[in-house]
Amino acid sequence: MRLLISFAALFLSVVLLQLSTGGVGPLDALSGLALDFTTAQIGLLGSAHFVGFFIGCWFAPRLMGTIGHSRAFAAFTSAGAIGLLAHMLVIDPYAWALMRVASGLCVAGCYTVIEAWLQAKVTNETRGRAMGIYRVVDMGASLAAQLLISVLAPASYVSYNLLALLCCAALLPLTLSRLREPETPDAPRLRPMLLIACSPLAAAGVLVAALSSASFRMVGPLYGQQVGLAVDQIAGFLAVFVLGGAVAQYPVGWLADRYDRRWVLIGLSIAAILSSVATAMTENLDTFGILMTAFFFGMTTFPIYSVSAAHAHDFAEAHERVELSAALMFFFAVGAIAAPLMASTLIEAYGPPAMFVMIAAGHALLVVFGLVRMRARPVAERRTAYVWSPRTSFLIGRLTGRSRDKDGNER
């Protein structure tokens, strides 16, 4: 309880930030439909978010070193609020794409500040509990953000103003906190090839995880609308995807710590293919069936990033943990930038099921590549602990690295 209270300001900022930035993606998709944007233009908005996200991950540590944590957090939050408020001032998909770059910049920058603060305050004894609470808070707020769109009218100034208010409110807990600002962490070097050197399969797994997650979360509302879901049903469709991913983390982690992680990754991909096929057939299901397919899709696709990360860390040295986490985030960002635009283009050309055909094809390639890699390399001699890895900032490796080494050495 003392630990929770000491970090209450940080966690409250996470909740408010996630409610704001997590709600803008589905709201933009529904607003784009109401304003007659093309399907490809709606996909561009999701891709633009991850462009801003990658820029923020890279730029945030340097800005913190220049002006400090609180001022950097205020600057990134302001960028996000401006991007939200400007939506209904300029009704143009390409202008909105620039605004979504600002939203992505806000997400990455604010999470970098929060995670740098957490890293400076936790100890080896409190790290596991702090990270557990952090994951629950972040995932819970993400779930609520998906449900929030059921009460937000598309293409409405009031809706975007409400999200901007939540974004501004995220400033208050952190900037008014009496916690002393920590020293600025060194920015990790970005070495994408480190991930390839450690595990080509992990790199492929992260790309496929981005293909699944970014497509569903950014283009899912478009899919839901085209298969006849109401706005509140679309909110549930997105929310149960997040819930399914959260529920799956612990059983998948148990499997990944006891069996060859490549088989776990292959098994998840086979299940993801089945769930993609089932979700593509939602036109013939009732609402409950549609929600169940989305839940199963989240269960089978959400943990792939964490399993891939654990497999890569099995082949890394302790001093490479932070840079490897940054490389994992880089590959995820690359896949997430491309995925929404690809998914929306396919939906426009071939109809709603095409998005899940694309996702299924990506997982099929991952299954084949996984089997090839199992013939090329034996199982890892040293296993690190499976860690549920949030895709938040390049600094997440500082929070999870010691947990991997400590737990892995105890096994």
Side-chain angles (χ1 to χ4, degrees):
M1 182 58 68
R2 287 195 298 271
L3 178 70
L4 179 60
I5 292 172
S6 68
F7 290 131
L10 296 179
F11 292 150
L12 183 54
S13 287
V14 168
V15 170
L16 294 168
L17 179 69
Q18 186 64 267
L19 285 174
S20 173
T21 57
V24 69
L27 181 61
D28 265 4
L30 295 174
S31 298
L33 288 169
L35 296 170
D36 296 324
F37 292 177
T38 67
T39 305
Q41 287 169 341
I42 293 172
L44 175 65
L45 302 181
S47 295
H49 170 87
F50 288 103
V51 171
F53 175 83
F54 176 74
I55 295 171
C57 284
W58 180 249
F59 178 61
R62 290 155 181 79
L63 186 63
M64 284 192 300
T66 303
I67 64 175
H69 291 65
S70 294
R71 289 181 178 179
F73 190 86
F76 287 120
T77 306
S78 299
I82 290 169
L84 288 166
L85 289 170
H87 271 71
M88 298 313 297
L89 299 179
V90 183
I91 309 300
D92 179 82
Y94 301 104
W96 279 28
L98 290 176
M99 299 170 199
R100 288 300 300 278
V101 171
S103 296
L105 183 70
C106 169
V107 172
C110 289
Y111 270 108
T112 300
V113 173
I114 289 167
E115 288 172 0
W117 217 313
L118 279 173
Q119 164 63 20
K121 300 301 179 182
V122 298
T123 64
N124 287 339
E125 291 73 27
T126 61
R127 185 181 306 275
R129 282 173 290 163
M131 282 301 296
I133 296 170
Y134 178 49
R135 292 187 191 99
V136 170
V137 167
D138 182 58
M139 189 63 70
S142 177
L143 183 64
Q146 309 311 307
L147 296 173
L148 189 62
I149 65 166
S150 64
V151 297
L152 297 178
S156 166
Y157 174 76
V158 173
S159 298
Y160 284 101
N161 191 51
L162 177 60
L163 294 181
L165 288 173
L166 289 169
C167 188
C168 291
L171 274 167
L172 299 177
L174 189 141
T175 54
L176 295 178
S177 170
R178 298 179 65 180
L179 290 173
R180 205 166 96 191
E181 289 195 8
E183 294 182 6
T184 303
D186 294 332
R189 287 188 300 164
L190 187 55
R191 297 170 55 198
M193 294 310 294
L194 175 62
L195 178 56
I196 300 291
C198 289
S199 173
L201 178 59
V206 168
L207 287 172
V208 173
L211 181 75
S212 305
S213 178
S215 296
F216 193 94
R217 299 186 73 167
M218 296 299 170
V219 190
L222 177 62
Y223 174 87
Q225 189 270 343
Q226 293 200 11
V227 298
L229 296 179
V231 173
D232 59 333
Q233 293 171 330
I234 292 174
F237 184 64
L238 298 174
V240 295
F241 164 75
V242 177
L243 181 61
V247 168
Q249 291 293 340
Y250 289 103
V252 169
W254 185 87
L255 291 170
D257 277 345
R258 284 158 180 79
Y259 301 99
D260 189 334
R261 284 168 178 165
R262 294 170 297 184
W263 279 120
V264 175
L265 201 58
I266 290 169
L268 284 171
S269 282
I270 292 173
I273 293 170
L274 296 176
S275 65
S276 296
V277 172
T279 310
M281 297 168 61
T282 53
E283 293 174 293
N284 302 319
L285 297 175
D286 58 14
T287 302
F288 179 77
I290 291 173
L291 295 180
M292 286 300 97
T293 57
F295 180 81
F296 186 48
F297 183 79
M299 286 186 68
T300 56
T301 59
F302 221 96
I304 285 178
Y305 180 90
S306 295
V307 175
S308 299
H311 182 60
H313 279 281
D314 286 345
F315 298 96
E317 299 298 328
H319 68 274
E320 296 174 323
R321 297 262 181 262
V322 175
E323 292 179 357
L324 179 57
S325 294
L328 286 160
M329 291 288 295
F330 171 82
F331 273 84
F332 182 85
V334 169
I337 289 169
L341 190 56
M342 291 169 55
S344 60
T345 302
L346 287 171
I347 288 176
E348 189 170 46
Y350 302 105
M355 179 175 79
F356 288 98
V357 172
M358 176 192 76
I359 293 172
H363 283 281
L365 290 174
L366 184 60
V367 169
V368 173
F369 189 55
L371 293 172
V372 170
R373 290 301 303 169
M374 290 185 75
R375 294 177 63 88
R377 172 189 267 177
V379 68
E381 296 180 2
R382 178 173 55 88
R383 293 167 65 83
T384 58
Y386 174 89
V387 175
W388 179 356
S389 302
R391 300 181 291 271
T392 46
S393 81
F394 282 177
L395 298 185
I396 192 64
R398 298 187 188 279
L399 286 167
T400 60
R402 291 182 184 176
S403 297
R404 294 182 191 276
D405 285 328
K406 178 182 177 183
D407 294 345
N409 291 335
E410 289 175 352
R411 293 184 187 279

